[in-house]
């Protein structure tokens, strides 16, 4: 293949991976729950052993985030995830209802395609490998070109560990020559049964346009509202921990802080105390010019997942030693207010409102730039939580950080690195994606009623008018059943001949077509 262009070779590789993956998926479909658990345990062991080196690889190759935090994400995507799903039934009969006499039977979807982002490459690869195998499937990955090496390494480690424990040879595959052509080929390969797309809006849209089932997730733009009853010190601590975790590369991380006039001073003082630097309008403008591509709201990849020091140096602004995040005050949302959009780095927008009603309206406007994803509220008022539960976000996080809370690490949500945005966000799922989304559930249903007598025995079906109802609202005689009607028709037919019967019925009902249909019905019933 040396004589073929790189993109053509990558497309052929994608086809080969899909074909091998389909074979592996068919073999995997025969495995028992016990066999799968043995395989998963070995995969988790391998992921944990290599969590740190994979974290370092991802940080070095992409330049995004912090190696130590990426290592923890690898731990969460393996050990924490497995502890949560180890008792989940995903093979054979997974549930039975003795009252309704039904059974739920799980069947794998087959070959899954996983699209991997550059922001969380190794943790996403580990996560998707584990949920795919847990649900009895095979998976093939399409990595982001800027994270190809670390993604491939993670996929190979997961594959080797799975095969070592008895999985089919090609249970986990990964494109080694990532191109758009290879990704498009995989999405459209007939062997691929389901796509899990984690990445930019364009890639997610392409996955949904591939002509097969897809689980795609959109962009986030999470506002964090610090309501007047909140524990300010704890709220700020959670927000700072979340936004600095892997330098803000998780899409559920906070993008804006919303405070009320009555607690603004206290919140600002606490933010500064914990390492936030409030930029001047001029400094904010300089930073925004770096963060976003000219003429768009898309982030410049050079500043995704970067420290405040890297951003400040590039913007030629001076910040205090120990600064953890940069904050710019904003007076609105949309055009002219660039910080009102998603920023997967250590920069936050800051808004001040009069009361919770204004905070509510502002949160909705901010969420329009990341609709369906995540928002946070810090409050001690449960009624306030109920009010904000109506916001257009699939995850309403209370008194926790967005990065950890949204992924289920610090909350009771499913541990996941693929966060659905619901239909309002253009996603087919609003939950945190888990193994249950990668199985088909068949229903076995036993008969609980006698089909021959169910109408007569149904006490809720009360329509006495049916007993006396005749055809054509009573204008065609007194026949009250099909048999009576047929007998009446035959009587007319034998007495007057076919043509006269047709004329009579036509006159009575005003329709020649009805006569013809009745005649056909009579003949059909006679021939049975």
């Amino acid at each position: 293949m040396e004589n073929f262009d790189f993109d053509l070779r990558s497309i052929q590789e994608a086809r080969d991976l899909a074909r091998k993956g389909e074979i592996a998926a068919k073999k995997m479909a025969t495995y028992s729950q016990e066999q799968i658990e043995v395989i998963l345990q070995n995969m988790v062991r391998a992921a944990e052993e290599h969590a740190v080196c994979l974290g370092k690889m991802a940080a070095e190759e992409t330049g995004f985030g912090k190696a130590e935090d990426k290592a923890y994400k690898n731990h969460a995507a393996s050990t924490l995830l497995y502890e949560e799903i180890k008792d989940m039934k995903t093979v054979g009969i997974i549930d039975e209802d003795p009252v309704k006499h039904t059974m739920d039977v799980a069947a794998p979807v087959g070959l899954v395609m996983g699209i991997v982002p550059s922001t969380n490459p190794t943790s996403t690869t580990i996560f998707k490998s584990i949920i795919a195998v847990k649900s009895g499937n095979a998976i093939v990955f399409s990595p982001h070109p800027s994270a190809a090496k670390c993604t491939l390494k993670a996929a190979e480690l997961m594959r080797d560990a799975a095969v070592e424990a008895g999985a089919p040879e090609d249970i986990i595959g990964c494109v080694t020559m990532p191109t758009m052509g290879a990704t498009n080929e995989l999405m459209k390969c007939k062997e691929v049964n389901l796509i899990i797309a984690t990445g930019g809006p364009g890639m997610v849209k392409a996955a949904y346009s591939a002509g097969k089932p897809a689980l795609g997730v959109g962009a986030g733009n999470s506002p964090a509202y610090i309501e007047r009853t909140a524990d300010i010190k704890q709220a700020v601590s959670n927000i700072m921990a979340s936004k600095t975790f892997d330098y803000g590369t998780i899409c559920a991380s906070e993008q804006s802080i919303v405070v009320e006039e009555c607690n603004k001073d206290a919140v600002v003082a606490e933010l500064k105390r914990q390492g936030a630097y409030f930029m001047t309008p001029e400094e904010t403008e300089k930073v925004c010019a770096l963060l976003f591509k000219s003429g768009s709201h898309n982030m410049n990849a050079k500043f995704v997942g970067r420290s405040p020091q890297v951003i400040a140096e590039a913007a030629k602004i001076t910040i205090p030693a120990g600064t953890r995040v940069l904050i710019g005050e904003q007076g609105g949302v949309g055009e002219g207010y660039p910080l009102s959009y998603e920023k997967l780095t250590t920069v936050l927008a800051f808004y001040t409102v009069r009361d919770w009603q204004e905070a509510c309206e502002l949160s909705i406007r901010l969420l329009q730039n990341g609709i369906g994803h995540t928002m946070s509220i810090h409050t001690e008022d449960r009624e306030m939580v109920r009010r904000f539960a109506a916001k257009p976000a699939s995850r309403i996080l209370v008194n926790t950080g967005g990065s950890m809370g949204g992924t289920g690490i610090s909350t009771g949500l499913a541990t996941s690195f693929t966060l659905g945005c619901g239909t309002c966000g253009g996603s087919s799922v609003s939950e945190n994606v888990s193994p249950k989304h990668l199985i088909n559930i068949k229903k076995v249903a036993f008969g609980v009623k006698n089909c021959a007598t169910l109408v007569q025995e149904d006490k809720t079906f009360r329509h006495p008018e049916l007993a006396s109802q005749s055809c054509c609202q009573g204008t065609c005689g007194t026949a009250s059943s099909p048999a009576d009607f047929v007998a009446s028709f035959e009587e007319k037919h034998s007495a007057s001949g076919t043509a006269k019967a047709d004329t009579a019925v036509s006159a009575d009902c005003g329709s020649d077509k009805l006569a013809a249909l009745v005649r056909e019905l009579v003949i059909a019933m006679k021939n049975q």
Side-chain angles (χ1 to χ4, degrees):
M1 292 179 65
E2 290 79 4
N3 295 328
F4 289 90
D5 290 342
F6 185 84
D7 59 336
L8 296 178
R9 292 164 58 199
S10 70
I11 290 172
Q12 185 60 56
E13 181 188 35
R15 290 177 179 172
D16 292 341
L17 285 168
R19 290 163 186 162
K20 292 178 181 178
E22 181 185 39
I23 295 171
K26 289 179 178 178
K27 292 179 182 177
M28 193 68 185
T30 66
Y31 280 41
S32 67
Q33 191 78 69
E34 291 72 23
Q35 287 175 297
I36 287 176
E37 294 312 309
V38 171
I39 295 169
L40 283 176
Q41 289 168 9
N42 207 42
M43 291 171 66
V44 171
R45 176 197 58 77
E48 194 65 65
E49 286 180 0
H50 295 86
V52 174
C53 69
L54 287 175
K56 289 179 178 178
M57 278 188 69
E60 290 172 3
E61 184 177 4
T62 65
F64 301 161
K66 294 185 283 187
E68 56 269 32
D69 289 344
K70 290 188 181 298
Y72 191 82
K73 287 197 286 190
N74 294 334
H75 164 75
S78 54
T79 301
L80 297 187
L81 172 65
Y82 181 69
E83 286 301 310
E84 182 179 296
I85 66 174
K86 64 182 180 181
D87 296 324
M88 182 186 295
K89 293 181 180 179
T90 55
V91 177
I93 298 173
I94 60 175
D95 193 25
E96 191 167 358
D97 189 330
V99 177
K100 293 184 177 180
H101 298 280
T102 61
M103 293 188 299
D104 291 353
V105 183
V109 299
L111 178 60
V112 177
M113 176 192 177
I115 299 176
V116 182
S118 56
T119 46
N120 306 291
T122 56
S123 53
T124 300
T125 302
I126 292 169
F127 165 73
K128 290 182 179 178
S129 295
I130 288 176
I131 65 170
V133 172
K134 173 68 177 181
S135 47
N137 301 294
I139 188 167
V140 58
F141 289 106
S142 176
H144 192 284
S146 66
K149 292 180 182 178
C150 62
T151 301
L152 177 61
K153 182 63 175 178
E156 288 176 341
L157 284 168
M158 292 295 92
R159 180 203 61 203
D160 292 347
V163 171
E164 182 182 51
E169 187 66 31
D170 299 298
I171 187 69
I172 298 168
C174 183
V175 171
T176 64
M177 297 178 283
T179 63
M180 281 302 299
T183 300
N184 290 332
E185 188 67 25
L186 272 180
M187 286 194 289
K188 295 176 182 177
C189 275
K190 63 180 179 60
E191 293 87 357
V192 170
N193 302 106
L194 177 72
I195 303 169
I196 312 180
T198 310
M203 185 62 71
V204 172
K205 185 177 180 180
Y208 279 122
S209 302
K212 59 187 63 182
L215 301 173
V217 298
N221 194 39
S222 178
Y225 171 39
I226 304 179
E227 192 261 343
R228 63 182 62 195
T229 67
D231 180 333
I232 292 175
K233 182 177 180 179
Q234 188 59 51
V236 169
S237 176
N238 282 328
I239 292 171
M240 293 291 284
S242 170
K243 193 59 176 174
T244 58
F245 183 67
D246 204 23
Y247 288 151
T249 54
I250 291 181
C251 51
S253 63
E254 292 82 355
Q255 304 299 316
S256 306
I257 295 175
V258 180
V259 302
E260 297 183 48
E261 291 175 347
C262 63
N263 65 4
K264 175 184 177 180
D265 291 344
V267 171
V268 170
E270 187 61 34
L271 281 166
K272 290 179 177 179
R273 192 185 72 79
Q274 294 195 32
Y277 175 70
F278 279 77
M279 299 180 288
T280 66
E282 293 75 21
E283 290 172 333
T284 299
E285 187 175 345
K286 290 180 180 179
V287 167
C288 288
L290 290 176
L291 294 187
F292 301 98
K293 295 179 182 178
S294 179
S296 76
H297 306 297
N298 298 320
M299 270 204 74
N300 182 343
K302 289 176 60 177
F303 297 101
V304 169
R306 299 289 183 169
S307 70
Q309 288 71 29
V310 170
I311 297 171
E313 183 179 357
K316 294 181 171 52
I317 66 174
T318 302
I319 60 175
T323 294
R324 299 170 66 198
V325 297
L326 303 176
I327 297 179
E329 293 199 56
Q330 299 285 279
V333 177
E335 294 300 326
Y337 303 99
L339 293 187
S340 66
Y341 293 88
E342 185 183 48
K343 308 162 292 296
L344 296 182
T345 195
T346 52
V347 179
L348 285 161
F350 190 87
Y351 292 91
T352 304
V353 297
R354 291 188 298 273
D355 49 33
W356 75 265
Q357 288 96 337
E358 191 173 334
C360 174
E361 295 170 3
L362 175 60
S363 295
I364 292 174
R365 291 171 63 200
L366 286 167
L367 285 168
Q368 295 308 307
N369 298 327
I371 192 165
H373 206 290
T374 305
M375 82 158 292
S376 304
I377 179 171
H378 299 266
T379 181
E380 297 300 316
D381 185 347
R382 289 190 67 86
E383 179 58 34
M384 196 62 63
V385 174
R386 294 191 187 94
R387 291 169 182 167
F388 273 77
K391 300 298 166 286
S394 297
R395 280 155 294 278
I396 310 294
L397 307 176
V398 183
N399 297 335
T400 189
S403 295
M404 298 80 160
T407 53
I409 298 174
S410 67
T411 61
L413 298 177
T415 302
S416 180
F417 287 88
T418 301
L419 313 181
C421 298
T423 54
C424 63
S427 179
S428 61
V429 61
S430 59
E431 300 173 286
N432 285 13
V433 173
S434 73
K436 72 177 184 179
H437 296 103
L438 304 186
I439 56 175
N440 291 312
I441 299 179
K442 301 182 288 186
K443 284 284 188 179
V444 175
F446 291 82
V448 295
K449 296 180 181 179
N450 187 328
C451 295
T453 60
L454 64 84
V455 175
Q456 297 91 317
E457 294 173 354
D458 188 346
K459 304 302 181 183
T460 64
F461 187 67
R462 296 184 292 270
H463 291 280
E465 68 272 19
L466 291 176
S468 58
Q469 184 178 14
S470 58
C471 78
C472 297
Q473 294 77 46
T475 62
C476 291
T478 59
S480 59
S481 70
D484 293 337
F485 187 89
V486 169
S488 174
F489 182 86
E490 287 187 315
E491 183 179 349
K492 290 182 180 181
H493 189 341
S494 60
S496 306
T498 302
K500 291 182 180 180
D502 285 352
T503 304
V505 174
S506 180
D508 287 343
C509 295
S511 173
D512 292 335
K513 291 183 179 180
L514 178 60
L517 288 172
V518 172
R519 184 164 61 253
E520 291 176 8
L521 175 62
V522 172
I523 294 171
M525 293 179 70
K526 283 183 175 181
N527 291 335
Q528 285 185 342

